[in-house]
Amino acid sequence: MEVFMASTFPSFRGQPHSTSVFQKHSVRTPQFTPVLPAQKSNFRTAIAISPTAPSVEVEQETKSQTKEDKFDWYENWYPVAAVCDLDKRRPHGKKVIGIDVVVWWDRNENAWKVFDDSCPHRLAPLSEGRIDQWGRLQCVYHGWCFGGAGEGKFIPQAPRHGPPVHTSSKACAGVYPSCLQNGIIWFWPNSDQQYKDIHLKKKPHHIPEHDDPSYTNAVITRDIAYGYYEVLIENLMDPSHVPYAHYGIIRIPKAPETVQADREGGGPIELTIDKISASGYNVKQSAGGSYFIAPCLYHGYFTPGGRRQSMNKKPSDGAKDVMLHPDPSKKKVMFVFYCIPVSPGQSRLIFVSRRNFAVWIDRIMPRWIFHIGQNLVLDSDLYLLHVEERRLKEVGPMNWHKSCYVPTKADANVVAFRRWLNKYGGAQVDWRNKYTGTLPPTPPREQLMDRYWSHTVNCSSCSVAYQRLNALDLALQVISIGSVAIVAAAKQGAISIAARYSLLSMAVLCFVASKWLSHFIYKTFRYHDYDHAFR
């Protein structure tokens, strides 16, 4: 999604809108691979289906699905959180694919752990607990303690010289397989012992550039009030909405006067989809490519001013999962979207932006400054997508192609994802009967677009900036009031007229600065509405 790039780095805005902003790359993941670049596509145009002509092809694809083709939602790794936003001193509660988990740092094993967020004693949430002085995860309801393997370490209520009840299997916390890769904590949503060493057989998708120090590393996490499969991934895959839904935020090049038809400057976009498989698919544009890797990862590359390279070359070393790297001598930008299903109508996005030029900007600019623009981008179409999801829910996932008219190649990526979801993913996330499927009611707009609980409180950078700016705001108010009080309390002639005017001027300036800062804090960290009519 070019939005995140263009809104942050002005130098990217010179790309022609109708050409790609993606670039091919090389990623080695022996256990988990998207469609091979060398394969010829069986799905080339991906032009959408008219509502008056339902697609027999889509229906036949779904009916012809075999057991081998089916995508198992619980046989894959899921991202939980970015390490940069986790505090090793405390446990962190998260919900992923309907499962409540707690992430905590086990200093005894020097590793992050992911447990079921439930104490075996009375089912209290372990995420509300603490890490004790011995590095154990402690439930603060009754003080039960657990080690890194989930084993019970201590039960305060048990007699010191009685039976060791803490060693019982019933005193163990549920443990999920987990690992750290590319700065993200991943977990396998099955605590069965047979998956204990799953990371040795099948690892999360690895992106080499994440570990390359020559690239910048800008990360933002946001909880979003619409679903993963209905709209989150689709929206990120849709480049043609950028000049309209994000108008006023994203500055795009003006279209030639001969083809310019509106103020925003939208135009045709050529997209071609490689063969869709259960593990995902590749997307080619006129100057690059992007990749959907089921179930959570959508990422791509582009080179500012670059040209398209062939994606049909075979890897020289015979590895099946190798994709072409951009020319290392060129400027490169990559975007990575980790799209996490949380519950019906709720999702989480971890967005990682990387580039191998102008690295100095990230070294001098605080991370929370970067988040201002990214949050505004997310807010600018949040309400649209929240409403869209409810309308799609009424239609039903299998009837999407009958109700939405998407006749251009610009929608090919969205159509491809719908085909993947219907053919391999069972048309929706498998919640395993945790939910009825009913979407939560629409809250007031300020709550729907809330930034504090959906981002600020969980962001290590924004939470600190929020506290410090509030402290500064309070200091300005104290100075303003104190200056007026000094002038009022001073006896006639105790201070000079010049000093009086100076103190009063300081009071006014501090008052105005406080009002502006208070407004800035509210819009940046709590709530910022977006009115498309006046953009």
Side-chain angles (χ1 to χ4, degrees), residues 237-290:
M237 291 178 172
D238 175 21
S240 58
H241 82 284
V242 173
Y244 301 96
H246 306 300
Y247 184 79
I249 305 175
I250 309 303
R251 193 177 358 147
I252 65 170
K254 291 184 178 180
E257 293 184 2
T258 55
V259 297
Q260 189 172 1
D262 56 30
R263 176 192 64 171
E264 293 79 7
I269 300 176
E270 294 287 333
L271 295 174
T272 305
I273 311 299
D274 273 359
K275 181 180 178 181
I276 303 174
S277 72
S279 60
Y281 56 84
N282 300 337
V283 185
K284 291 189 286 186
Q285 288 184 250
S286 59
S290 57

Short mmCIF file of all heavy atoms in Angstrom, two decimals, residues 237-290:
data_model
loop_
_atom_site.label_atom_id
_atom_site.label_comp_id
_atom_site.label_asym_id
_atom_site.label_seq_id
_atom_site.Cartn_x
_atom_site.Cartn_y
_atom_site.Cartn_z
N MET A 237 -4.18 -4.08 -0.37
CA MET A 237 -3.86 -4.56 -1.71
C MET A 237 -4.40 -3.66 -2.81
O MET A 237 -4.15 -3.92 -3.99
CB MET A 237 -4.44 -5.96 -1.91
CG MET A 237 -3.79 -7.05 -1.08
SD MET A 237 -4.61 -8.63 -1.36
CE MET A 237 -3.53 -9.74 -0.48
N ASP A 238 -5.12 -2.65 -2.44
CA ASP A 238 -5.84 -1.83 -3.42
C ASP A 238 -5.16 -0.48 -3.63
O ASP A 238 -5.39 0.45 -2.85
CB ASP A 238 -7.28 -1.63 -2.93
CG ASP A 238 -8.08 -0.70 -3.80
OD1 ASP A 238 -7.70 -0.51 -4.97
OD2 ASP A 238 -9.09 -0.15 -3.32
N PRO A 239 -4.34 -0.31 -4.67
CA PRO A 239 -3.65 0.96 -4.88
C PRO A 239 -4.55 2.08 -5.41
O PRO A 239 -4.24 3.25 -5.24
CB PRO A 239 -2.56 0.60 -5.90
CG PRO A 239 -3.13 -0.55 -6.66
CD PRO A 239 -3.95 -1.32 -5.67
N SER A 240 -5.65 1.73 -6.06
CA SER A 240 -6.45 2.76 -6.72
C SER A 240 -7.28 3.62 -5.76
O SER A 240 -7.81 4.66 -6.16
CB SER A 240 -7.38 2.12 -7.76
OG SER A 240 -8.21 1.16 -7.17
N HIS A 241 -7.39 3.21 -4.47
CA HIS A 241 -8.15 4.02 -3.53
C HIS A 241 -7.31 5.16 -2.95
O HIS A 241 -7.84 6.08 -2.34
CB HIS A 241 -8.70 3.16 -2.39
CG HIS A 241 -7.72 2.89 -1.29
ND1 HIS A 241 -6.70 1.98 -1.41
CD2 HIS A 241 -7.59 3.42 -0.04
CE1 HIS A 241 -5.99 1.95 -0.28
NE2 HIS A 241 -6.51 2.82 0.57
N VAL A 242 -6.00 5.08 -3.14
CA VAL A 242 -5.09 6.02 -2.47
C VAL A 242 -5.38 7.49 -2.76
O VAL A 242 -5.52 8.29 -1.83
CB VAL A 242 -3.62 5.68 -2.82
CG1 VAL A 242 -2.68 6.73 -2.28
CG2 VAL A 242 -3.26 4.30 -2.28
N PRO A 243 -5.51 7.92 -4.03
CA PRO A 243 -5.71 9.36 -4.26
C PRO A 243 -7.06 9.88 -3.81
O PRO A 243 -7.25 11.10 -3.71
CB PRO A 243 -5.56 9.49 -5.79
CG PRO A 243 -5.89 8.15 -6.32
CD PRO A 243 -5.43 7.16 -5.29
N TYR A 244 -8.00 9.00 -3.48
CA TYR A 244 -9.33 9.43 -3.10
C TYR A 244 -9.56 9.30 -1.59
O TYR A 244 -9.89 10.30 -0.93
CB TYR A 244 -10.37 8.60 -3.87
CG TYR A 244 -10.21 8.76 -5.36
CD1 TYR A 244 -9.48 7.83 -6.09
CD2 TYR A 244 -10.73 9.86 -6.02
CE1 TYR A 244 -9.30 7.98 -7.46
CE2 TYR A 244 -10.56 10.03 -7.39
CZ TYR A 244 -9.83 9.09 -8.10
OH TYR A 244 -9.64 9.25 -9.45
N ALA A 245 -9.38 8.12 -1.05
CA ALA A 245 -9.61 7.93 0.39
C ALA A 245 -8.59 8.68 1.23
O ALA A 245 -8.87 9.05 2.37
CB ALA A 245 -9.57 6.44 0.73
N HIS A 246 -7.39 8.92 0.68
CA HIS A 246 -6.33 9.58 1.44
C HIS A 246 -5.95 10.94 0.83
O HIS A 246 -4.84 11.40 0.99
CB HIS A 246 -5.10 8.68 1.51
CG HIS A 246 -5.39 7.32 2.04
ND1 HIS A 246 -5.90 7.12 3.30
CD2 HIS A 246 -5.28 6.09 1.48
CE1 HIS A 246 -6.07 5.81 3.49
NE2 HIS A 246 -5.70 5.18 2.41
N TYR A 247 -6.91 11.54 0.17
CA TYR A 247 -6.65 12.84 -0.45
C TYR A 247 -6.35 13.88 0.64
O TYR A 247 -7.01 13.95 1.66
CB TYR A 247 -7.87 13.30 -1.26
CG TYR A 247 -7.62 14.61 -1.99
CD1 TYR A 247 -6.91 14.63 -3.17
CD2 TYR A 247 -8.11 15.81 -1.47
CE1 TYR A 247 -6.68 15.82 -3.83
CE2 TYR A 247 -7.88 17.00 -2.13
CZ TYR A 247 -7.16 17.01 -3.31
OH TYR A 247 -6.93 18.20 -3.96
N GLY A 248 -5.32 14.67 0.40
CA GLY A 248 -4.91 15.65 1.39
C GLY A 248 -3.81 15.15 2.29
O GLY A 248 -3.16 15.94 2.98
N ILE A 249 -3.62 13.84 2.32
CA ILE A 249 -2.52 13.24 3.09
C ILE A 249 -1.41 12.80 2.16
O ILE A 249 -0.24 13.05 2.40
CB ILE A 249 -3.02 12.03 3.89
CG1 ILE A 249 -4.20 12.40 4.77
CG2 ILE A 249 -1.89 11.45 4.74
CD1 ILE A 249 -4.81 11.23 5.48
N ILE A 250 -1.81 12.16 1.08
CA ILE A 250 -0.85 11.64 0.11
C ILE A 250 -0.78 12.58 -1.08
O ILE A 250 -1.79 12.86 -1.72
CB ILE A 250 -1.27 10.24 -0.38
CG1 ILE A 250 -1.56 9.35 0.81
CG2 ILE A 250 -0.18 9.65 -1.25
CD1 ILE A 250 -0.41 9.21 1.76
N ARG A 251 0.40 13.06 -1.35
CA ARG A 251 0.59 13.93 -2.51
C ARG A 251 1.05 13.06 -3.68
O ARG A 251 2.13 12.49 -3.67
CB ARG A 251 1.65 14.98 -2.21
CG ARG A 251 1.66 16.09 -3.24
CD ARG A 251 2.64 17.19 -2.93
NE ARG A 251 3.37 17.05 -1.69
CZ ARG A 251 4.62 17.48 -1.57
NH1 ARG A 251 5.24 18.03 -2.60
NH2 ARG A 251 5.25 17.36 -0.42
N ILE A 252 0.20 12.92 -4.70
CA ILE A 252 0.54 12.08 -5.84
C ILE A 252 0.83 12.96 -7.05
O ILE A 252 0.37 14.10 -7.13
CB ILE A 252 -0.60 11.10 -6.17
CG1 ILE A 252 -1.85 11.86 -6.63
CG2 ILE A 252 -0.92 10.22 -4.98
CD1 ILE A 252 -2.92 10.96 -7.19
N PRO A 253 1.61 12.46 -8.01
CA PRO A 253 1.91 13.25 -9.21
C PRO A 253 0.65 13.55 -10.00
O PRO A 253 -0.28 12.74 -10.04
CB PRO A 253 2.86 12.33 -10.00
CG PRO A 253 3.35 11.34 -9.02
CD PRO A 253 2.28 11.16 -8.01
N LYS A 254 0.62 14.71 -10.60
CA LYS A 254 -0.53 15.08 -11.41
C LYS A 254 -0.52 14.28 -12.71
O LYS A 254 0.51 14.07 -13.32
CB LYS A 254 -0.52 16.57 -11.74
CG LYS A 254 -0.78 17.45 -10.53
CD LYS A 254 -0.86 18.92 -10.95
CE LYS A 254 -1.17 19.81 -9.75
NZ LYS A 254 -1.24 21.24 -10.13
N ALA A 255 -1.71 13.83 -13.10
CA ALA A 255 -1.83 13.11 -14.35
C ALA A 255 -1.70 14.09 -15.52
O ALA A 255 -1.99 15.28 -15.37
CB ALA A 255 -3.18 12.40 -14.42
N PRO A 256 -1.23 13.63 -16.67
CA PRO A 256 -1.16 14.51 -17.84
C PRO A 256 -2.51 15.12 -18.15
O PRO A 256 -3.56 14.49 -17.93
CB PRO A 256 -0.71 13.55 -18.96
CG PRO A 256 -0.03 12.43 -18.26
CD PRO A 256 -0.75 12.27 -16.95
N GLU A 257 -2.51 16.35 -18.62
CA GLU A 257 -3.77 17.04 -18.88
C GLU A 257 -4.64 16.31 -19.89
O GLU A 257 -5.85 16.42 -19.87
CB GLU A 257 -3.48 18.46 -19.37
CG GLU A 257 -2.84 19.35 -18.30
CD GLU A 257 -2.66 20.77 -18.79
OE1 GLU A 257 -3.08 21.05 -19.94
OE2 GLU A 257 -2.11 21.59 -18.04
N THR A 258 -4.01 15.54 -20.76
CA THR A 258 -4.77 14.83 -21.79
C THR A 258 -5.61 13.70 -21.22
O THR A 258 -6.60 13.29 -21.82
CB THR A 258 -3.81 14.25 -22.84
OG1 THR A 258 -2.83 13.44 -22.16
CG2 THR A 258 -3.11 15.35 -23.61
N VAL A 259 -5.22 13.18 -20.04
CA VAL A 259 -5.97 12.07 -19.44
C VAL A 259 -6.58 12.45 -18.10
O VAL A 259 -7.32 11.66 -17.52
CB VAL A 259 -5.06 10.84 -19.24
CG1 VAL A 259 -4.55 10.33 -20.58
CG2 VAL A 259 -3.91 11.15 -18.31
N GLN A 260 -6.27 13.62 -17.60
CA GLN A 260 -6.77 14.02 -16.29
C GLN A 260 -8.28 14.20 -16.34
O GLN A 260 -8.81 14.95 -17.15
CB GLN A 260 -6.10 15.30 -15.84
CG GLN A 260 -6.42 15.66 -14.39
CD GLN A 260 -5.58 16.83 -13.90
OE1 GLN A 260 -4.79 17.37 -14.65
NE2 GLN A 260 -5.78 17.22 -12.66
N ALA A 261 -8.98 13.49 -15.46
CA ALA A 261 -10.44 13.54 -15.46
C ALA A 261 -11.02 14.03 -14.16
O ALA A 261 -12.20 14.33 -14.09
CB ALA A 261 -11.01 12.15 -15.78
N ASP A 262 -10.21 14.12 -13.10
CA ASP A 262 -10.70 14.61 -11.83
C ASP A 262 -9.57 15.28 -11.06
O ASP A 262 -8.41 15.24 -11.47
CB ASP A 262 -11.33 13.48 -11.00
CG ASP A 262 -10.39 12.31 -10.78
OD1 ASP A 262 -9.15 12.53 -10.73
OD2 ASP A 262 -10.86 11.17 -10.67
N ARG A 263 -9.91 15.90 -9.98
CA ARG A 263 -8.94 16.63 -9.17
C ARG A 263 -7.90 15.71 -8.57
O ARG A 263 -6.72 16.06 -8.47
CB ARG A 263 -9.69 17.37 -8.06
CG ARG A 263 -8.80 18.11 -7.08
CD ARG A 263 -9.57 18.58 -5.86
NE ARG A 263 -10.08 17.46 -5.08
CZ ARG A 263 -10.64 17.59 -3.87
NH1 ARG A 263 -10.79 18.79 -3.35
NH2 ARG A 263 -11.08 16.53 -3.22
N GLU A 264 -8.32 14.52 -8.17
CA GLU A 264 -7.43 13.63 -7.45
C GLU A 264 -6.39 12.95 -8.34
O GLU A 264 -5.33 12.54 -7.86
CB GLU A 264 -8.25 12.55 -6.72
CG GLU A 264 -9.10 13.07 -5.59
CD GLU A 264 -10.40 13.73 -6.06
OE1 GLU A 264 -10.70 13.65 -7.27
OE2 GLU A 264 -11.10 14.33 -5.23
N GLY A 265 -6.68 12.78 -9.60
CA GLY A 265 -5.69 12.24 -10.52
C GLY A 265 -5.60 10.74 -10.58
O GLY A 265 -4.55 10.19 -10.90
N GLY A 266 -6.69 10.02 -10.27
CA GLY A 266 -6.68 8.57 -10.38
C GLY A 266 -6.62 8.13 -11.83
O GLY A 266 -6.95 8.90 -12.75
N GLY A 267 -6.18 6.92 -12.07
CA GLY A 267 -6.07 6.41 -13.43
C GLY A 267 -5.96 4.90 -13.46
O GLY A 267 -5.93 4.23 -12.44
N PRO A 268 -5.89 4.33 -14.67
CA PRO A 268 -5.79 2.88 -14.82
C PRO A 268 -4.50 2.34 -14.19
O PRO A 268 -3.47 2.98 -14.20
CB PRO A 268 -5.77 2.68 -16.34
CG PRO A 268 -6.36 3.94 -16.90
CD PRO A 268 -5.96 5.03 -15.96
N ILE A 269 -4.59 1.14 -13.64
CA ILE A 269 -3.43 0.47 -13.05
C ILE A 269 -3.42 -0.97 -13.57
O ILE A 269 -4.42 -1.68 -13.44
CB ILE A 269 -3.49 0.47 -11.51
CG1 ILE A 269 -3.53 1.91 -10.98
CG2 ILE A 269 -2.31 -0.29 -10.92
CD1 ILE A 269 -3.69 2.00 -9.47
N GLU A 270 -2.32 -1.35 -14.16
CA GLU A 270 -2.18 -2.70 -14.69
C GLU A 270 -1.68 -3.63 -13.60
O GLU A 270 -0.61 -3.44 -13.04
CB GLU A 270 -1.20 -2.70 -15.87
CG GLU A 270 -1.69 -1.95 -17.09
CD GLU A 270 -2.80 -2.69 -17.82
OE1 GLU A 270 -2.84 -3.94 -17.72
OE2 GLU A 270 -3.63 -2.03 -18.48
N LEU A 271 -2.47 -4.65 -13.29
CA LEU A 271 -2.09 -5.66 -12.30
C LEU A 271 -2.26 -7.04 -12.92
O LEU A 271 -3.25 -7.30 -13.59
CB LEU A 271 -2.96 -5.56 -11.05
CG LEU A 271 -2.87 -4.30 -10.19
CD1 LEU A 271 -3.91 -4.35 -9.09
CD2 LEU A 271 -1.49 -4.16 -9.58
N THR A 272 -1.30 -7.90 -12.68
CA THR A 272 -1.37 -9.28 -13.16
C THR A 272 -1.06 -10.22 -12.00
O THR A 272 -0.08 -10.01 -11.28
CB THR A 272 -0.38 -9.53 -14.31
OG1 THR A 272 -0.60 -8.57 -15.33
CG2 THR A 272 -0.56 -10.93 -14.88
N ILE A 273 -1.89 -11.25 -11.85
CA ILE A 273 -1.74 -12.18 -10.74
C ILE A 273 -1.15 -13.49 -11.24
O ILE A 273 -1.63 -14.07 -12.21
CB ILE A 273 -3.11 -12.47 -10.09
CG1 ILE A 273 -3.85 -11.15 -9.79
CG2 ILE A 273 -2.94 -13.30 -8.83
CD1 ILE A 273 -3.15 -10.23 -8.85
N ASP A 274 -0.09 -13.94 -10.57
CA ASP A 274 0.43 -15.27 -10.86
C ASP A 274 -0.51 -16.31 -10.26
O ASP A 274 -1.40 -15.99 -9.48
CB ASP A 274 1.83 -15.43 -10.26
CG ASP A 274 2.91 -14.94 -11.22
OD1 ASP A 274 2.55 -14.51 -12.33
OD2 ASP A 274 4.09 -14.97 -10.86
N LYS A 275 -0.28 -17.56 -10.58
CA LYS A 275 -1.15 -18.65 -10.15
C LYS A 275 -1.37 -18.63 -8.64
O LYS A 275 -0.43 -18.53 -7.87
CB LYS A 275 -0.54 -19.99 -10.56
CG LYS A 275 -1.40 -21.18 -10.18
CD LYS A 275 -0.74 -22.48 -10.60
CE LYS A 275 -1.57 -23.67 -10.17
NZ LYS A 275 -0.93 -24.95 -10.56
N ILE A 276 -2.63 -18.75 -8.24
CA ILE A 276 -2.99 -18.74 -6.83
C ILE A 276 -2.87 -20.16 -6.27
O ILE A 276 -3.37 -21.11 -6.87
CB ILE A 276 -4.42 -18.22 -6.64
CG1 ILE A 276 -4.56 -16.81 -7.24
CG2 ILE A 276 -4.81 -18.22 -5.18
CD1 ILE A 276 -5.97 -16.28 -7.22
N SER A 277 -2.23 -20.27 -5.11
CA SER A 277 -2.15 -21.56 -4.43
C SER A 277 -2.56 -21.36 -2.98
O SER A 277 -2.81 -20.23 -2.54
CB SER A 277 -0.72 -22.11 -4.50
OG SER A 277 0.15 -21.37 -3.65
N ALA A 278 -2.60 -22.43 -2.21
CA ALA A 278 -3.01 -22.35 -0.81
C ALA A 278 -2.07 -21.48 0.01
O ALA A 278 -2.47 -20.90 1.02
CB ALA A 278 -3.09 -23.74 -0.20
N SER A 279 -0.81 -21.36 -0.42
CA SER A 279 0.17 -20.57 0.33
C SER A 279 0.18 -19.11 -0.07
O SER A 279 0.83 -18.30 0.57
CB SER A 279 1.57 -21.16 0.14
OG SER A 279 1.94 -21.13 -1.22
N GLY A 280 -0.55 -18.73 -1.12
CA GLY A 280 -0.62 -17.33 -1.52
C GLY A 280 -0.44 -17.13 -3.00
O GLY A 280 -0.68 -18.04 -3.81
N TYR A 281 0.02 -15.96 -3.39
CA TYR A 281 0.24 -15.65 -4.80
C TYR A 281 1.11 -14.42 -4.93
O TYR A 281 1.34 -13.68 -3.97
CB TYR A 281 -1.10 -15.43 -5.52
CG TYR A 281 -1.98 -14.37 -4.92
CD1 TYR A 281 -1.81 -13.03 -5.24
CD2 TYR A 281 -2.98 -14.71 -4.00
CE1 TYR A 281 -2.61 -12.05 -4.68
CE2 TYR A 281 -3.79 -13.74 -3.44
CZ TYR A 281 -3.60 -12.41 -3.78
OH TYR A 281 -4.39 -11.45 -3.22
N ASN A 282 1.60 -14.18 -6.15
CA ASN A 282 2.42 -13.01 -6.46
C ASN A 282 1.64 -12.06 -7.35
O ASN A 282 0.78 -12.48 -8.14
CB ASN A 282 3.70 -13.42 -7.18
CG ASN A 282 4.55 -14.37 -6.36
OD1 ASN A 282 4.44 -14.40 -5.14
ND2 ASN A 282 5.39 -15.14 -7.02
N VAL A 283 1.96 -10.79 -7.24
CA VAL A 283 1.31 -9.75 -8.05
C VAL A 283 2.38 -9.01 -8.84
O VAL A 283 3.39 -8.60 -8.26
CB VAL A 283 0.54 -8.75 -7.17
CG1 VAL A 283 -0.22 -7.75 -8.03
CG2 VAL A 283 -0.41 -9.49 -6.24
N LYS A 284 2.17 -8.84 -10.13
CA LYS A 284 3.11 -8.10 -10.96
C LYS A 284 2.46 -6.81 -11.45
O LYS A 284 1.29 -6.80 -11.85
CB LYS A 284 3.56 -8.94 -12.16
CG LYS A 284 4.44 -10.12 -11.76
CD LYS A 284 5.04 -10.80 -12.97
CE LYS A 284 4.01 -11.61 -13.72
NZ LYS A 284 4.61 -12.40 -14.81
N GLN A 285 3.23 -5.73 -11.39
CA GLN A 285 2.81 -4.47 -11.97
C GLN A 285 3.85 -4.05 -12.99
O GLN A 285 4.82 -4.77 -13.23
CB GLN A 285 2.65 -3.41 -10.88
CG GLN A 285 1.42 -3.64 -10.00
CD GLN A 285 1.22 -2.53 -9.00
OE1 GLN A 285 1.40 -2.72 -7.82
NE2 GLN A 285 0.82 -1.36 -9.48
N SER A 286 3.66 -2.88 -13.55
CA SER A 286 4.53 -2.47 -14.65
C SER A 286 5.96 -2.21 -14.22
O SER A 286 6.84 -2.14 -15.05
CB SER A 286 3.96 -1.20 -15.31
OG SER A 286 3.86 -0.16 -14.35
N ALA A 287 6.20 -2.09 -12.89
CA ALA A 287 7.57 -1.82 -12.45
C ALA A 287 7.98 -2.63 -11.24
O ALA A 287 8.91 -2.27 -10.56
CB ALA A 287 7.75 -0.33 -12.16
N GLY A 288 7.28 -3.73 -10.95
CA GLY A 288 7.68 -4.50 -9.79
C GLY A 288 6.67 -5.56 -9.40
O GLY A 288 5.94 -6.06 -10.24
N GLY A 289 6.66 -5.90 -8.13
CA GLY A 289 5.76 -6.94 -7.67
C GLY A 289 5.53 -6.90 -6.18
O GLY A 289 6.28 -6.27 -5.44
N SER A 290 4.47 -7.56 -5.73
CA SER A 290 4.18 -7.71 -4.31
C SER A 290 3.74 -9.14 -4.08
O SER A 290 3.49 -9.89 -5.03
CB SER A 290 3.10 -6.72 -3.85
OG SER A 290 1.92 -6.90 -4.61
#
